[in-house]
Amino acid sequence: MNPEKSKIPVPLLFDGAFGTYYFALTSDANPCELANLTDREAVLRIHREYLAAGVNAIKTNTFGANPVLVADAAELHRLIAAGWSIAQEAVKDTPVRVFADIGCNDSDNAEQDYLTVAQIFLDLGARDFLFETLAAYEEIVPALALIKKIAPESTVIVSFAVSQDGYTKRGLHYKALLHEAVQNENVDAAGLNCVCGPSHMLKLVGSLDMTSKPLTAMPNSGYPSSLNGRIIFEDNADYFAKKLADLYAAGVDVLGGCCGSTPRHIRLGVQAIAAAKRSPKATLKRTETAKPKSPTDSVLVRHHKIIAVELDPPLDYDCSFILSASAELKECGADMITIADSPLSRTRADSIMTAAKIKREVGIEVLPHLSCRDKNYIALKAGLLGAAFEGINRVLVITGDPPPPSETRKSDGVYNFNSYNLISYINSMNEEVFADSPFLIGGALNVNAVNFSAELRRAQIKLERGAKMLLTQPIFSDAAVENFLLAKKTLDCKLLAGILPVAGYKNAVFLINEVSGIEIPESVVQSLRDKSPEEAAEISTAYSVGIINRIYDAADGFYIMTPLKKVNIVRGLIKEIRRNAQ
């Protein structure tokens, strides 16, 4: 027997959902973890119902018990201690194991929070731990090490929550996450729970590349619906039980239920597993997960200075200007057209669809911007698949300008992902979906950031997540020039310098007062006052050329933002850049 498996009986059968079942019994909409202190009998009753269903492991009612829920350290300790005590009372005089349940944490302080909760459980005497519904892995690593250092004999299970297509809400693919987890000597078993219903989880398991460590699966009972504002799950215990038995037959060692499952689901599941036949040899493949292929985009190997020009999609369905401008820019030497994604949160034509039309009708390479603001992960994946249909395999990932607040609308957008996680998501899709033609992922770099050291750290994270090039905010000031040169020395990627030739005095005043991240020296602004459009274009072009000349040798290329449809100014800058090359 493998040493990893000797610590875990097969099958190890866990209980089902606590939160959804607690709500069904009590109609208490408060976090169920608080019931450890306010309704001890209800918590004890639920534990005992799951014990009666035939499980040999239960979870403490502490999934969300962390510093995010309870900021006061003493009160958090009291809440967790109560949950531990109730679970211990429930299993008294039985061989059932109690696992300290530590749920997902999306706070900026997650790594320390995991350490805090793990230490509390260790002090209480816990030796079995379940980290569940995780969207990422790195943040729990210090807590895993702490547990094994203090209690080497402990058992630690790690479980990730993924959608039907295998991605977490951080944009990470389950195969890569499980591969990382099982390589850690501090992890005794790893698998999946929540989000997926049992059928989809069975499909994910069936295509899994795994190692010899035990595999876990704790699916939701199915997919919920909404009734009068309440999330409800269908009563499908018979179906759930059959699928749980199928998971066991497929090679899963540790089983249980998540949202929507009840003691009846688990009781029937235990009976179905007992009757299931399973080959002594695991039926799952046992090969390592491959690393994502690197994009072979010509941008990464091009030796001349890349010129990318940004155009805004139209506000209506008339695309004549953006098509004619793209053709004009192609003719004068632009390599690529970048298409903004509703800048300043003013609705414009979809960036990917606009990019597809430009690529198809003008025959120039495109780089659509993809914002985290407006779309959830479903819409983002749909857009990327559509882009791939059209032969587009480049994208610039940005957070996106927030929608303005109003009396009837909140100021926040969708933001299913931040820019880091969207980069991770696309990079994961490069392995699983776009393996034959991976996306080249670009990111943004703010050379005008007050704390540029922090901005460089953010940029490094983007590169670690899968970005291969960075495009900067507009460079106007001496400080921005110095920051760009420092970034080029620090970061190992293609770096395109942002150049924004302002259209005139009013345009300059608008940019510095209403557009975040843009700083234009007062001397430049004043030089544009009372000038004709032709004079303003000449002044703006001359200033931009000065910036270009200062950073020309360091830059891998230039990202020119077209001011107010004035393509003539951009043409002049392209001419100067190509002249420098000669």
Side-chain angles (χ1 to χ4, degrees):
M1 178 178 290
N2 291 321
E4 294 92 342
K5 289 201 172 189
S6 64
K7 300 175 66 174
I8 296 177
V10 177
L12 181 62
L13 302 175
F14 270 90
D15 48 6
F18 199 101
T20 55
Y21 188 52
Y22 173 80
F23 180 74
L25 291 178
T26 67
S27 298
D28 181 1
N30 291 311
C32 64
E33 296 82 2
L34 301 179
N36 293 338
L37 297 174
T38 62
D39 196 352
R40 182 184 181 93
E41 288 305 314
V43 176
L44 185 60
R45 171 191 167 184
I46 292 172
H47 283 323
R48 285 175 170 164
E49 286 190 38
Y50 278 120
L51 289 170
V55 301
N56 51 9
I58 65 169
K59 305 179 292 284
T60 56
N61 178 34
T62 54
F63 173 86
N66 56 47
V68 177
L69 178 65
V70 180
D72 181 79
E75 187 66 10
L76 176 62
H77 190 284
R78 197 163 76 93
L79 183 68
I80 293 174
W84 175 255
S85 171
I86 298 169
Q88 291 294 327
E89 181 180 345
V91 302
K92 186 178 180 181
D93 299 325
T94 78
V96 174
R97 296 164 69 170
V98 173
F99 278 74
D101 191 28
I102 303 176
C104 58
N105 187 322
D106 294 323
S107 74
D108 293 337
N109 203 38
E111 183 176 302
Q112 182 56 51
D113 289 352
Y114 284 124
L115 283 166
T116 296
V117 175
Q119 185 64 66
I120 293 173
F121 273 118
L122 286 165
D123 292 342
L124 291 169
R127 292 300 180 263
D128 290 330
F129 292 81
L130 172 64
F131 290 81
E132 64 159 313
T133 323
L134 303 175
Y137 169 69
E138 293 177 355
E139 293 160 345
I140 67 168
V141 172
L144 302 179
L146 173 70
I147 292 169
K148 290 295 186 174
K149 180 181 178 181
I150 294 177
E153 76 285 5
S154 61
T155 299
V156 177
I157 298 175
V158 172
S159 183
F160 300 97
V162 301
S163 58
Q164 299 97 309
D165 56 359
Y167 292 91
T168 74
K169 62 183 178 181
R170 300 272 190 94
L172 303 172
H173 197 258
Y174 78 111
K175 289 184 180 180
L177 287 168
L178 289 176
H179 179 70
E180 277 191 278
V182 297
Q183 298 307 306
N184 189 333
E185 63 182 2
N186 296 324
V187 174
D188 298 296
L192 307 174
N193 79 289
C194 204
V195 182
C196 275
S199 180
H200 283 116
M201 192 168 288
L202 181 61
K203 289 180 181 179
L204 293 174
V205 165
S207 64
L208 184 64
D209 301 328
M210 62 173 290
T211 70
S212 59
K213 289 187 178 178
L215 179 68
T216 72
M218 303 183 199
N220 286 351
S221 65
Y223 295 93
S225 57
S226 178
L227 178 64
N228 298 325
R230 290 180 55 180
I231 299 298
I232 59 172
F233 288 84
E234 298 295 331
D235 182 9
N236 63 344
D238 291 311
Y239 172 83
F240 178 86
K242 182 181 182 304
K243 292 298 180 183
L244 215 59
D246 290 343
L247 282 163
Y248 175 66
V252 177
D253 303 299
V254 181
L255 299 114
C258 209
C259 299
S261 58
T262 68
R264 182 168 180 267
H265 286 78
I266 299 302
R267 176 171 54 81
L268 294 178
V270 169
Q271 294 171 2
I273 290 169
K277 294 181 179 180
R278 170 162 133 150
S279 170
K281 296 182 179 180
T283 59
L284 304 177
K285 294 179 289 183
R286 298 183 181 276
T287 57
E288 292 190 356
T289 301
K291 294 293 182 183
K293 295 179 182 178
S294 295
T296 55
D297 197 294
S298 60
V299 168
L300 299 179
V301 297
R302 196 168 293 176
H303 298 297
H304 71 258
K305 303 291 183 181
I306 303 161
I307 297 179
V309 180
E310 178 177 296
L311 294 172
D312 289 339
L315 291 163
D316 53 22
Y317 60 87
D318 181 1
C319 59
S320 56
F321 168 76
I322 199 168
L323 290 176
S324 63
S326 297
E328 188 176 346
L329 292 164
K330 176 188 177 184
E331 182 67 24
C332 71
D335 297 299
M336 185 163 54
I337 301 298
T338 79
I339 301 92
D341 187 0
S342 294
L344 303 182
S345 293
R346 188 180 185 189
T347 304
R348 292 179 177 269
D350 181 82
S351 60
I352 290 178
M353 293 188 71
T354 304
K357 191 168 184 66
I358 292 170
K359 181 179 175 70
R360 201 166 47 241
E361 299 192 15
V362 177
I364 188 172
E365 291 300 324
V366 290
L367 177 71
H369 299 195
L370 192 58
S371 165
C372 303
R373 173 192 57 224
D374 312 306
K375 308 173 184 74
N376 63 18
Y377 80 94
I378 299 171
L380 288 166
K381 183 175 182 180
L384 290 164
L385 291 171
F389 290 166
E390 295 287 346
I392 297 172
N393 61 350
R394 299 184 182 104
V395 67
L396 177 66
V397 173
I398 57 173
T399 300
D401 303 310
S406 70
E407 291 183 0
T408 59
R409 186 179 65 195
K410 294 182 179 180
S411 61
D412 56 334
V414 177
Y415 298 113
N416 242 193
F417 292 127
N418 59 29
S419 58
Y420 299 154
N421 294 335
L422 181 51
I423 289 170
S424 295
Y425 185 48
I426 300 171
N427 195 44
S428 292
M429 289 179 69
N430 278 345
E431 176 188 352
E432 298 297 327
V433 181
F434 304 119
D436 293 334
S437 183
F439 270 79
L440 172 64
I441 307 169
L445 175 70
N446 184 8
V447 290
N448 303 305
V450 175
N451 185 352
F452 192 64
S453 294
E455 180 67 13
L456 280 178
R457 289 194 294 273
R458 286 172 51 84
Q460 189 60 53
I461 294 172
K462 293 176 183 180
L463 299 182
E464 291 169 358
R465 298 285 180 93
K468 299 297 183 184
M469 66 177 179
L470 298 175
L471 282 63
T472 81
Q473 290 275 29
I475 300 173
F476 288 104
S477 65
D478 292 341
V481 168
E482 293 303 315
N483 286 341
F484 178 86
L485 296 174
L486 175 60
K488 184 56 188 172
K489 292 178 181 177
T490 305
L491 303 172
D492 182 19
C493 69
K494 290 285 185 179
L495 190 60
L496 274 60
I499 303 295
L500 173 54
V502 294
Y505 176 74
K506 289 183 178 179
N507 181 225
V509 171
F510 169 80
L511 290 170
I512 60 178
N513 283 282
E514 297 198 36
V515 181
S516 176
I518 292 183
E519 296 181 11
I520 305 175
E522 182 63 21
S523 60
V524 177
V525 177
Q526 293 305 320
S527 71
L528 297 166
R529 186 190 287 272
D530 300 325
K531 297 297 190 296
S532 68
E534 294 75 19
E535 291 172 324
E538 186 175 342
I539 293 169
S540 182
T541 299
Y543 189 82
S544 294
V545 169
I547 295 292
I548 289 169
N549 289 337
R550 292 176 66 183
I551 61 176
Y552 183 85
D553 290 339
D556 294 301
F558 297 91
Y559 161 45
I560 306 173
M561 288 149 263
T562 305
L564 302 180
K565 296 187 175 182
K566 296 189 180 298
V567 179
N568 62 307
I569 297 179
V570 178
R571 282 204 319 265
L573 292 180
I574 293 175
K575 183 178 179 180
E576 289 297 325
I577 294 170
R578 294 307 184 210
R579 181 181 298 166
N580 268 343
Q582 294 170 359

